[in-house]
Amino acid sequence: MTEDEFDAFYAAAFPRLTGQLFAFTGDLGEAQDVVQEAFVRAWDRRHKLQADRAPEAWVRTVAMRLAVSRWRRARRWLELVRHSALPETTPGPGPERAALVAALRELPEHQRMAVVLHHLCDLSVEQVASETGAPVGTVKVRLSRGRAALAKQLAVDEAEEPAWREGGRVG
């Protein structure tokens, strides 16, 4: 694969692979990191990568392995520092982000993949169909069902409104 062919391959495949790895890791930054690292490794062997031998599959496999390896290292690290107290000033994710991540985790895998690829990776329905190997109609159904499930899970019941939203003062 020439440098120009590799550049075109990178431009076309990076967003798609990042979307797939985001769905796998649940962390966009982590997905971008492992896909980028996989492309660095692919660059070193670009002369061996042939378009007809599925270079995207090779990069995806490397990225998935990197993600799993990072997860295992992080888990081992957490086991080592488990007895240490976390600093009290560590900010957590905002309530909206936490709610969205939790709601996405509740979706069936096919719906979650369709929603992530379409709404977070900005892929068209046709591109999602191509990525997942599903017919366009199936992708539309998965998106519709996924959005409906997310809407139910993320809806705020008026009875559960916090006091500060009802006009009351807190504190």
Side-chain angles (χ1 to χ4, degrees):
M1 183 179 289
T2 67
E3 289 183 16
D4 290 338
E5 289 171 327
F6 188 89
D7 289 347
F9 165 59
Y10 176 86
F14 184 83
R16 186 171 42 247
L17 291 169
T18 300
Q20 293 167 357
L21 269 291
F22 174 77
F24 179 71
T25 64
D27 182 329
L28 182 59
E30 180 72 9
Q32 291 170 331
D33 286 349
V34 295
V35 171
Q36 186 65 37
E37 176 64 27
F39 270 106
V40 168
R41 293 180 184 193
W43 173 261
D44 292 338
R45 56 181 290 130
R46 69 186 175 280
H47 298 295
K48 297 176 186 175
L49 292 176
Q50 298 296 324
D52 60 343
R53 298 188 79 189
E56 188 168 332
W58 187 89
V59 173
R60 182 183 307 105
T61 300
V62 170
M64 295 285 269
R65 289 178 180 166
L66 287 167
V68 168
S69 177
R70 285 181 176 201
W71 179 80
R72 286 180 180 153
R73 270 187 268 131
R75 194 174 95 201
R76 279 192 296 253
W77 181 83
L78 283 173
E79 289 172 7
L80 291 173
V81 298
R82 180 168 271 163
H83 300 293
S84 303
L86 294 174
E88 292 184 28
T89 59
T90 304
E96 294 86 9
R97 181 178 174 102
L100 177 61
V101 169
L104 280 169
R105 287 185 179 149
E106 296 298 317
L107 293 179
E109 184 179 343
H110 292 295
Q111 289 177 15
R112 182 174 59 241
M113 179 74 79
V115 168
V116 166
L117 290 174
H118 184 66
H119 292 287
L120 299 178
C121 299
D122 292 326
L123 297 181
S124 69
V125 171
E126 291 77 17
Q127 289 171 318
V128 174
S130 175
E131 278 291 314
T132 61
V136 171
T138 301
V139 170
K140 289 179 180 179
V141 168
R142 289 175 181 169
L143 286 170
S144 176
R145 290 180 181 165
R147 284 189 295 253
L150 286 174
K152 281 183 182 177
Q153 291 175 1
L154 297 174
V156 176
D157 186 359
E158 288 186 21
E160 297 176 14
E161 283 287 326
W164 58 268
R165 286 204 180 181
E166 294 173 355
R169 290 193 140 226
V170 176

